[in-house]
Amino acid sequence: MPKSSSPSEQASTAPCRGRPRAFDRDSALGIAMRVFWRKGYSATSISDLTEAIGIGSTSLYAAFGSKDALYAEALQHYACQHAPKIWSGFASAKTARGAVEALLSDSAAVLGKGADDPAGCMVALSAAGDEGNAELGAKVRAARDEGLGVLRERLTKAPPEELPAGITPDALARYVMAVQGGMSLQARDGAGKAELQAIADAAMALWDCGAKGGGDA
């Protein structure tokens, strides 16, 4: 990108129609993330991306390297922008039950289609690994495993009386992540916040049915 000229140089050399706006890489990344999120890796073409961002393919490759590299960066951008909305209540909850309830309730609030964002979770819905790209598939699985690992660790450290009887922390963590993943699919198919919250409430009711003593949320 050319160096910016000084104000005096701009006054003497800028054409009357004005200079084009500078390329905003972060904004372009956010746009690309939403295109991938909505259409998936395989169904998204370079022309889809350039049209949405408003740049040519040469500029796209110069900024991001390749479609694969852009998708990988978009996944990381998604994690930075959206994961805190889903996991912050989980992290601050005082009990295991409270943590799980916060995770599912916050997921219900976030996963429904927003003004700018597609419905569902980009990571949960990604099929990049089944679309001919093993490297990107591994990144997606690693992102999913990270969430499962955080949940499993929290449940493993919880006092036994906080957990439903007869279920291992690993099985319980996988169950919760399965519920959250199902909520993501339901959201993509049109379920709204209230319907997603009903799923979260049902999951917690089942938790309470098997709890030894529960624990205040």
Side-chain angles (χ1 to χ4, degrees):
M1 184 178 292
K3 287 183 60 179
S4 299
S5 56
S6 67
S8 60
E9 290 173 329
Q10 291 178 8
S12 61
T13 63
C16 293
R17 64 184 179 182
R19 296 171 63 87
R21 292 173 59 188
F23 174 69
D24 186 334
R25 191 180 188 281
D26 287 343
S27 177
L29 179 59
I31 294 170
M33 175 196 72
R34 290 178 178 87
V35 175
F36 281 127
W37 184 355
R38 184 177 67 254
K39 299 190 68 173
Y41 167 78
S42 183
T44 299
S45 66
I46 292 297
S47 61
D48 290 330
L49 295 166
T50 56
E51 181 178 354
I53 297 171
I55 60 175
S57 58
T58 300
S59 298
L60 184 86
Y61 287 121
F64 299 105
S66 67
K67 176 184 171 181
D68 290 3
L70 177 52
Y71 186 81
E73 196 167 343
L75 282 173
Q76 182 60 40
H77 187 70
Y78 177 86
C80 292
Q81 295 294 317
H82 293 274
K85 301 175 185 177
I86 291 177
W87 289 93
S88 59
F90 172 91
S92 61
K94 296 181 179 180
T95 66
R97 187 195 184 283
V100 170
E101 184 174 35
L103 173 63
L104 295 180
S105 291
D106 288 343
S107 295
V110 171
L111 293 177
K113 181 175 174 58
D116 298 317
D117 295 332
C121 171
M122 180 181 177
V123 174
L125 295 172
S126 175
D130 298 319
E131 295 172 339
N133 196 307
E135 184 175 349
L136 289 178
K139 292 181 183 295
V140 171
R141 287 192 298 274
R144 292 171 182 159
D145 287 345
E146 183 176 0
L148 175 62
V150 170
L151 182 54
R152 183 194 293 119
E153 181 180 9
R154 178 65 186 264
L155 297 178
T156 299
K157 292 181 177 179
E161 61 270 16
E162 286 188 11
L163 306 179
I167 305 176
T168 66
D170 179 73
L172 187 56
R174 292 182 183 278
Y175 166 74
V176 172
M177 295 306 290
V179 171
Q180 189 197 43
M183 291 168 66
S184 188
L185 288 171
Q186 289 283 312
R188 176 57 61 92
D189 287 344
K193 178 180 177 181
E195 293 164 308
L196 298 177
Q197 183 60 52
I199 297 172
D201 293 342
M204 298 316 301
L206 291 172
W207 174 299
D208 291 338
C209 285
K212 293 179 179 180
D216 294 333

